[in-house]
Amino acid sequence: MALDSTQTSDGFPIPAGVFAQTVTEVAHYTDRLFKFRITRPASFRFRSGEFVMIGLPNAEKPVFRAYSVASPSWDDALEFYSIKVPGGPLTEHLQKIGEGDTVLMRKKPTGTLVLDALLPGKRLWMFSTGTGVAPFASLIRDPETYEKFDEVILTQTCRAVAELRYGQDLVAAVKEDPLVGEMAQRLRHYCTVTREDFPVRGRITDLMASGQLFNDLGVDPITAERDRGMICGSMEMLKDTKACLEGFGLVEGSNNRPDTFVVERAFVD
């Protein structure tokens, strides 16, 4: 890759064709999860739900990984929600960033978890595990989501109760947001935990299969005529949730061929 003459404080050149942005905020939620915000380039445009490639200027050839933009498309900053992977080539260093540090971002956003990839419907389901909530953090803050759907249900399944906090804080803030707060009263947040005591325990696919998900929410089971779905999580979760939605008659779509549900696979190794 061609390099320009710009260098970081560590002396490494910043690759050509990437944005070099400044960290404005970092918040650690658990020993495994943190969020960070960076300045937004004036020329950067994306659709809520898309992801970008993020890296650090700490090597001649920096490591880049896919990160959903957790902030909505109208925000003047960019937010990301990350897991800390022990020994991970990027997160081992990324988790140590602080305000004023530099983060690299490739210029082209992409992804399938966008409203354009879904056919019109009445109710939107967002199924997430762990940091898979990040693209939905963007979408639930976007007015277009509520313009297109009468009801929005965000489900998040984590191993531990503390891992739900980012999503819980986010939903509470969205409902008070001056831009979308009134519309976001139609947003429902359904949390489950798999390894600790919690009012709702279990994997979301098991709760769908048993019918508990729908009973708890007081809604009818999913149908292709009314419901649309988005899925973001681990490989096993993607596979099992996709099978559940197909069992309800939904069909996977894409940017080129919108349909009744979409899956983001960019974060699965």
Side-chain angles (χ1 to χ4, degrees), residues 12-162:
F12 290 106
I14 293 174
V18 305
F19 294 117
Q21 300 305 123
T22 302
V23 177
T24 59
E25 179 188 345
V26 181
H28 295 265
Y29 288 88
T30 70
D31 59 354
R32 298 180 64 248
L33 299 167
F34 71 107
K35 77 169 182 181
F36 60 98
R37 288 173 70 85
I38 64 174
T39 54
R40 178 174 178 171
S43 62
F44 183 66
R45 298 288 181 271
F46 72 100
R47 294 177 296 173
S48 294
E50 289 189 314
F51 67 87
V52 292
M53 304 300 292
I54 291 289
L56 288 172
N58 58 359
E60 289 288 340
K61 293 184 178 179
V63 172
F64 284 86
R65 292 289 184 268
Y67 273 80
S68 289
V69 183
S71 46
S73 58
W74 51 263
D75 203 334
D76 58 4
L78 299 174
E79 181 174 307
F80 301 93
Y81 185 47
S82 178
I83 192 169
K84 305 173 187 179
V85 180
L90 177 59
T91 59
E92 179 73 17
H93 307 286
L94 190 64
Q95 65 182 290
K96 299 171 184 175
I97 59 172
E99 291 183 25
D101 288 343
T102 299
V103 168
L104 304 180
M105 184 178 78
R106 288 187 177 154
K107 295 185 176 182
K108 182 174 174 54
T110 188
T112 56
L113 297 182
V114 292
L115 298 173
D116 295 341
L118 293 174
L119 295 173
K122 296 293 185 183
R123 185 168 61 195
L124 176 60
W125 294 86
M126 301 172 171
F127 298 101
S128 71
T129 54
T131 54
V133 75
F136 305 137
S138 176
L139 284 158
I140 66 173
R141 289 187 266 189
D142 193 322
E144 186 182 2
T145 301
Y146 304 100
E147 292 164 2
K148 289 193 170 185
F149 293 94
D150 296 336
E151 186 176 9
V152 179
I153 301 174
L154 169 63
T155 81
Q156 186 181 13
T157 301
C158 294
R159 296 186 299 180
V161 176

